[in-house]
Amino acid sequence: MRCPACRHPALEHDPACSRCGFSLEAIAPTMGIPPMLEAPLADLSNVLSASERRAALSTIHILHQRFPQVSFAAVLFDLTPEVAPAVHAFWLFNRGSLFSAVERAGDNHGVLLLIDTPRDRAVAMIGYGLEPFVSELTLEVCLTAASLSLAKSRYGAAIEAFVRELERQLTTLLHPLPRTFGYSEDTLWADSATRTPDPSLPAHIGTEDLY
C-alpha cells in the first residue's frame, strides 16, 4: 500500500509512514469520533432515494454472491475539504466499523468506495488481503467507470457502475490463477462429455469417483 497522506510506499505493520509520519493516531484529533457505519451501504449524506438504494444493494449482493471472500462497502459522506479524500478513506476503512474484527491485516479483503457528495468525487481503498491481486490501476478503472454518473450527481448509478466494473476486473484477474499455481483443469478432471478418465489417475479410480 501507499501512505494516504504522501503516497510513499508503506508496509503492513508500519506504525507510521516512514516519510511523513502519518498514522491513525496522528490524525485522530483532526478527524474526531468516527461515525458508526453499516455495511455494505452507508448513506450519511442522505442523498439516495429508496429505489436507488435498493438497486445499489442488489448490485452489491450480486458481487458478494460471485466473490464471497470480498467485503464491499460504499459510503456517501460530506468530507472535510481540508483533509485529503484518501486520508478520509483510510480513516473510515480502519475506524468506521465497516469490517468485522477478524478482518485484519492480510485477512482483510475489504473494498471501500467513498463518495464525497458535495463535490461529486470518489476514492477507493482495499484491504491488505487484496493487494496481491488488485492494483491501484484496477481501482482507477473502477472509479473511471463510475465517473460519468458521479459527474451528474447520480450516486446510486455511480455505485452500481463501480461494483459492476469491480466484478469484471476480479473475474479477469482471478481466472488465470489456477494455472498460475499449477492447478490445471485439463489434467485434473475427466472430460464431462465423454467420461474419459485422465490417464495420469490411478487405474482403480473410476470416472464416477471424480465428481
Side-chain angles (χ1 to χ4, degrees):
M1 68 168 291
R2 294 180 181 275
C3 169
C6 71
R7 309 303 298 160
H8 184 68
L11 299 177
E12 177 181 336
H13 299 292
D14 286 347
C17 176
S18 60
R19 172 179 288 181
C20 70
F22 172 85
S23 68
L24 284 171
E25 290 70 24
I27 63 169
T30 300
M31 306 304 293
I33 300 174
M36 296 300 294
L37 305 175
E38 184 176 350
L41 179 55
D43 180 14
L44 299 185
S45 297
N46 198 28
V47 293
L48 296 179
S49 67
S51 60
E52 289 171 332
R53 182 179 179 85
R54 285 195 300 269
L57 287 173
S58 176
T59 304
I60 295 170
H61 179 67
I62 292 172
L63 171 71
H64 285 163
Q65 283 189 314
R66 183 75 183 277
F67 298 99
Q69 302 89 346
V70 173
S71 299
F72 177 83
V75 178
L76 298 97
F77 198 35
D78 182 356
L79 304 187
T80 304
E82 295 78 17
V83 179
V87 173
H88 265 286
F90 186 81
W91 177 60
L92 292 176
F93 194 101
N94 290 278
R95 293 289 186 264
S97 303
L98 290 168
F99 308 105
S100 70
V102 298
E103 294 177 288
R104 294 286 184 247
D107 292 325
N108 189 298
H109 302 100
V111 179
L112 170 63
L113 172 64
L114 175 60
I115 297 178
D116 181 15
T117 50
R119 284 157 282 277
D120 290 339
R121 58 181 180 174
V123 63
M125 182 178 177
I126 59 172
Y128 285 111
L130 285 178
E131 286 193 354
F133 311 104
V134 180
S135 66
E136 290 184 3
L137 178 59
T138 299
L139 289 179
E140 286 298 327
V141 170
C142 296
L143 288 169
T144 298
S147 61
L148 183 60
S149 295
L150 191 60
K152 298 177 182 179
S153 300
R154 298 177 59 224
Y155 305 114
I159 294 171
E160 292 181 62
F162 181 95
V163 172
R164 290 194 183 103
E165 184 59 37
L166 177 62
E167 182 180 344
R168 282 191 287 268
Q169 291 294 321
L170 289 174
T171 300
T172 301
L173 291 166
L174 298 182
H175 182 71
L177 284 184
R179 290 184 179 275
T180 301
F181 290 100
Y183 298 102
S184 173
E185 293 183 0
D186 295 339
T187 60
L188 184 60
W189 304 111
D191 182 79
S192 59
T194 64
R195 299 295 187 182
T196 301
D198 189 325
S200 65
L201 292 172
H204 67 277
I205 299 181
T207 307
E208 66 277 4
D209 297 320
L210 297 177
Y211 301 93

